[in-house]
C-alpha cells in the first residue's frame, strides 16, 4: 500500500477533525474540540457535535464542548476502537447523548487505492471521460451516486460507459477538498454484473491521479456490492467515521 496516499488521507482527516495527523497512529483515544476550517471537506457540517474517526489504531473524537467530551471519553473507555462504531455499543452512546437532543446518524467506511498504478478491468462497452460541460444534463435520479445535485459545483469529472448513444454506467469524482476527490458509481439495473462498475471506478481513479489528486471511495458497512466494487478496483478499507447530530439536523 502507498504510504504517501495514506499520509495525505490522514492529513485531510486531521484538518476535518482539528487534530494532528499523528493522532490517528496513537494507541490511546484522542479528544479534540471541533472547529470550522476552510480546507475541510466541503460537505462536512462543522463544527461537529461529535465525530469519531478511526484508522484502525484508536479513536479520534472531535467534539463541540467539554460536556460532550466527557460522555465520549467514558464511551471510548468502555469499548475497543472497533466496537465504538457498532451496535450494541452505539445504543449506549445514543442514550448518553439523548439529554442533549442528539444521536448517532452517519456511519461509513472509506477506501483508498493501494497504489497509484491502477489496473483497469475490461469493460464490455466504450468508455468516455466527461468534463463538467459534458455532464451538466446528467443530474438525474439514476446517477445520484455519481453526481450530487446539491453540490454540483464540486463535481469535477466523470467516466461514462455507452451502449450506443445511451449511458449505461456513470462514475463521478467530486472535488471534496484540495487534495482528495471522492468517487461515486451508478450502473443501470439491466447492465449490472457485467464489470461496468469496476471498469468505470478504476478508469476514473486513474484520471484523478493524473490530475494530481487522491481518489477515495465511501461505502456503508452493509452495502456489500459497493464494498466488493472497491476491493475489485484495488482499493482497501483505510478509515471509518461515525457522526452524531442534534435531532433537528437529522
Amino acid at each position: 500500500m502507498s504510504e504517501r496516499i495514506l499520509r495525505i488521507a490522514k492529513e485531510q482527516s486531521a484538518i476535518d477533525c482539528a487534530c494532528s495527523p499523528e493522532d490517528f497512529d496513537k494507541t490511546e483515544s484522542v479528544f479534540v474540540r471541533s472547529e470550522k476550517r476552510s480546507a475541510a471537506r466541503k460537505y462536512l457540517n462543522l463544527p461537529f457535535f461529535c465525530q469519531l474517526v478511526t484508522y484502525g489504531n484508536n479513536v479520534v473524537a472531535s467534539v463541540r464542548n467539554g460536556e460532550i467530551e466527557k460522555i465520549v471519553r467514558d464511551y471510548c473507555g468502555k469499548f475497543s476502537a472497533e466496537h465504538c462504531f457498532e451496535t450494541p455499543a452505539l445504543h449506549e452512546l445514543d442514550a448518553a447523548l439523548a439529554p442533549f437532543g442528539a444521536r448517532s446518524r452517519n456511519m461509513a467506511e472509506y477506501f483508498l487505492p493501494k497504489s497509484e498504478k491502477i489496473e483497469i478491468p475490461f469493460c464490455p462497452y466504450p468508455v468516455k471521460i466527461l468534463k463538467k460541460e459534458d455532464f451538466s444534463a446528467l443530474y438525474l435520479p439514476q446517477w445520484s451516486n455519481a453526481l450530487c445535485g446539491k453540490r454540483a459545483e464540486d463535481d469535477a469529472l466523470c467516466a461514462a460507459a455507452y451502449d450506443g448513444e445511451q449511458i449505461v454506467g456513470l462514475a463521478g469524482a467530486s472535488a471534496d477538498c484540495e487534495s482528495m476527490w471522492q468517487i461515486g458509481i451508478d450502473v443501470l439495473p439491466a447492465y449490472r454484473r457485467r464489470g461496468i462498475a469496476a471498469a468505470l471506478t478504476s478508469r476514473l481513479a486513474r484520471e484523478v491521479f493524473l490530475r494530481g489528486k487522491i481518489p477515495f471511495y465511501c461505502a456503508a458497512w452493509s452495502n456489500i456490492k459497493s464494498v466488493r466494487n472497491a476491493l475489485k478496483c484495488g482499493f482497501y478499507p483505510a478509515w471509518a467515521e461515525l457522526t452524531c447530530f442534534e435531532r433537528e439536523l437529522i
Side-chain angles (χ1 to χ4, degrees):
M1 100 185 39
S2 170
E3 291 301 322
R4 186 185 81 87
I5 294 173
L6 183 59
R7 173 179 54 79
I8 290 173
K10 288 180 180 178
E11 289 172 352
Q12 184 59 50
S13 290
I15 292 171
D16 300 339
C17 292
C19 66
S20 300
E22 297 75 21
D23 288 336
F24 299 106
D25 298 322
K26 296 177 179 178
T27 55
E28 70 278 4
S29 295
V30 176
F31 304 89
V32 295
R33 291 291 187 277
S34 180
E35 60 186 51
K36 288 188 176 182
R37 290 188 167 184
S38 59
R41 281 175 288 161
K42 297 174 183 178
Y43 58 85
L44 297 178
N45 186 16
L46 295 174
F48 293 120
F49 179 85
C50 173
Q51 170 89 334
L52 305 185
V53 179
T54 183
Y55 275 79
N57 299 302
N58 67 343
V59 174
V60 172
S62 185
V63 299
R64 177 176 296 178
N65 56 42
E67 286 184 293
I68 307 306
E69 179 182 332
K70 183 180 184 305
I71 289 173
V72 178
R73 275 186 180 275
D74 292 342
Y75 178 71
C76 292
K78 291 178 63 177
F79 302 101
S80 62
E82 57 270 21
H83 289 150
C84 285
F85 293 79
E86 63 182 20
T87 54
L90 284 178
H91 295 315
E92 294 195 27
L93 179 61
D94 285 345
L97 294 178
F100 298 88
R103 57 172 295 180
S104 58
R105 174 60 173 86
N106 294 346
M107 294 181 286
E109 191 168 23
Y110 290 84
F111 297 77
L112 292 172
K114 295 177 182 178
S115 168
E116 296 183 33
K117 296 179 180 179
I118 300 291
E119 298 287 338
I120 301 177
F122 170 75
C123 184
Y125 300 95
V127 175
K128 296 181 183 179
I129 298 301
L130 307 181
K131 298 180 180 179
K132 214 168 183 64
E133 60 270 21
D134 302 320
F135 58 75
S136 59
L138 297 181
Y139 286 88
L140 304 168
Q142 62 265 41
W143 311 126
S144 59
N145 289 309
L147 296 170
C148 180
K150 293 181 179 179
R151 298 187 297 109
E153 66 277 7
D154 298 329
D155 290 329
L157 200 66
C158 286
Y162 287 81
D163 184 1
E165 296 297 316
Q166 181 187 17
I167 295 177
V168 298
L170 187 70
S174 174
D176 290 344
C177 55
E178 176 59 32
S179 60
M180 301 177 69
W181 288 7
Q182 183 171 189
I183 293 178
I185 178 70
D186 288 295
V187 177
L188 296 182
Y191 290 83
R192 291 172 185 169
R193 302 181 67 84
R194 303 186 192 184
I196 297 173
L200 292 180
T201 301
S202 300
R203 175 66 186 279
L204 190 57
R206 178 182 287 183
E207 294 291 333
V208 171
F209 273 128
L210 290 174
R211 286 157 178 77
K213 309 298 180 181
I214 302 298
F216 71 105
Y217 188 102
C218 176
W221 279 267
S222 58
N223 194 340
I224 302 301
K225 291 185 291 185
S226 186
V227 171
R228 285 175 177 164
N229 182 56
L231 298 176
K232 188 174 181 180
C233 296
F235 284 67
Y236 71 98
W239 81 96
E241 297 182 1
L242 165 67
T243 309
C244 302
F245 290 100
E246 291 165 301
R247 284 195 175 88
E248 60 266 25
L249 298 178
I250 295 177

